[in-house]
Amino acid sequence: MSNIFPKAAITGHPVAHSRSPLIHGYWLKKHGLAGEYGRVDVAPETAEAFYRNFSASGLIGANVTVPHKETAAASCDWLDEAARTMGAANTLWLDESGKLCGANTDGLGFLGNLDQLSPDWDNAPGTALVLGAGGAARAIVWALLSRKFTTVHIVNRTQEKAQRIADEFGSKTIAHGWEKLGKLLEEADLLVNTTSLGMTGKPPLEIDLAPLPTTALVTDIVYVPLETDLLKNAAARGNPTVDGLGMLLHQAVPGFERWFGVRPEVDDTLRALILEDLGVSA
Ligand code: ATR
């Protein structure tokens, strides 16, 4: 068995456009490691069986993307705190006894990106304002609470979805509709867009940033375009900004370390490689 390369893959449906093979392939090459990282398209009707019998796949671990993160989590024998809290796993590995373990690294990816590009961003964690209430928003709210933000406001078009996240995370998280945005901007130390608005091909994110203190850090999980209108407008009025590409790159770090035994770095060459593949200019 020892001559067989450890193999991992991105699993989900679809997976054809996933950048994960490029990210892990870059790190495998950089570290001169014998390993492979591929793509496995898991049709929805076979997902439960696939994750339940994961050891039969020949993979030592995997990333999981939509729409299977919940199914994967439900199939795991062990989950880390983030995956347990979210009921969704994006990183899987088999332990020594063959048990399937799952983690959710989306929140860590968010934190890793800000830690790298805006050191000290959470030195005095205050009030965060999160736009959107999908899966990414949940991971980010979890991440912000882990860094001791005192209040996390969640603003969403469908307020009930924001309320569901707030109910889950407790009294520091408060749900609102869009009409409250102006008032909430006044007290924000951090503004995060987790909606798909502003992405190429989607409607614009139209926000009047005037009430936002110019000291507030503004970040976007959209990375196509790399500099969204939100980031452009924020930078033009003097706010510090961080783009969303690093979240994608940093969420991949824990899986690579698990599977291949080296903790990889998110470096400029990797950023440039992914940007080139996305056809996005830095
Ligand atoms: P993910 O799981 O990747 O975060 P998602 O669940 O599709 O993605 O969430 C997308 C987010 O963008 C949601 O908060 C969505 O708002 P709703 O919950 O009201 O659907 C938000 N969004 C998408 N299109 C929007 C639009 N045109 N106006 C306002 N919000 C929008």
Side-chain angles (χ1 to χ4, degrees), residues 23-42:
I23 298 170
H24 291 283
Y26 168 76
W27 284 329
L28 282 168
K29 197 163 164 217
K30 179 176 167 182
H31 293 286
L33 295 170
E36 283 177 25
Y37 187 101
R39 296 171 206 272
V40 176
D41 194 310
V42 180

Side-chain angles (χ1 to χ4, degrees), residues 66 69-70 131-138 154-162 165 178 193-197 199 202-205 221:
V66 283
K69 291 184 188 186
E70 289 78 13
L131 308 178
R138 279 173 106 207
I154 310 168
V155 170
N156 198 43
R157 173 179 60 179
T158 315
Q159 196 177 331
E160 305 86 77
K161 274 172 72 184
I165 299 179
W178 277 101
N193 175 45
T194 77
T195 74
S196 47
L197 299 175
M199 190 188 296
K202 300 276 167 137
L205 175 61
I221 71 161

Side-chain angles (χ1 to χ4, degrees), residues 17 40 63 65-66 75 104 124 148-149 193 201 204 212 222 225 234 253 276:
H17 295 103
V40 176
N63 284 122
T65 187
V66 283
S75 307
N104 192 312
K148 314 276 184 251
F149 273 76
N193 175 45
L212 184 71
V222 171
V253 169
E276 189 190 348

Side-chain angles (χ1 to χ4, degrees), residues 234-254:
R237 61 196 294 282
N239 289 88
T241 61
V242 173
D243 69 63
L245 179 63
M247 181 173 169
L248 169 74
L249 306 178
H250 281 275
Q251 63 78 31
V253 169

Side-chain angles (χ1 to χ4, degrees), residues 162-208:
Q163 191 58 52
R164 250 176 270 151
I165 299 179
D167 290 346
E168 194 177 321
F169 287 103
S171 59
K172 287 181 177 172
T173 51
I174 306 168
H176 311 268
W178 277 101
E179 70 286 353
K180 295 279 172 57
L181 193 56
K183 197 81 197 126
L184 292 169
L185 283 168
E186 285 174 19
E187 48 179 291
D189 300 301
L190 172 71
L191 173 64
V192 187
N193 175 45
T194 77
T195 74
S196 47
L197 299 175
M199 190 188 296
T200 302
K202 300 276 167 137
L205 175 61
E206 282 163 345
I207 298 187
D208 177 8

